[in-house]
Amino acid sequence: RGGGGWPDISRCWERGLGGKGEYTRVARCSGHSASVSHLDFSLPLLGPTPNMAGRTILRSSSTPGREILTFDAETGRLVNANLRDAKW
């Protein structure tokens, strides 16, 4: 659990159909040891990243620990791949 902020990192949400502003949880991302302070989503990945083509990545950072974690936004799993060419 994060300290003082969101208990889990955040949840990846998808807007539901019907125009009522309803959202459904797609995945739960967890792993930070402190409160999440920033979120950033990538554009769908292109290029030679194995098994990641077309995926959107969620990058988050926390304070005070200054952790930066990256997740597959569709599954919520931590991503341990070179994402230096990702467009954010």
Side-chain angles (χ1 to χ4, degrees), residues 26-66:
V26 174
R28 177 173 288 178
C29 306
S30 61
H32 279 290
S33 59
S35 299
V36 173
S37 57
H38 296 89
L39 296 174
D40 199 7
F41 286 89
S42 74
L43 294 174
L45 297 176
L46 303 173
T49 308
N51 303 321
M52 297 298 293
R55 297 280 192 177
T56 299
I57 299 299
L58 169 66
R59 179 170 52 190
S60 59
S61 60
S62 64
T63 51
R66 298 184 191 252

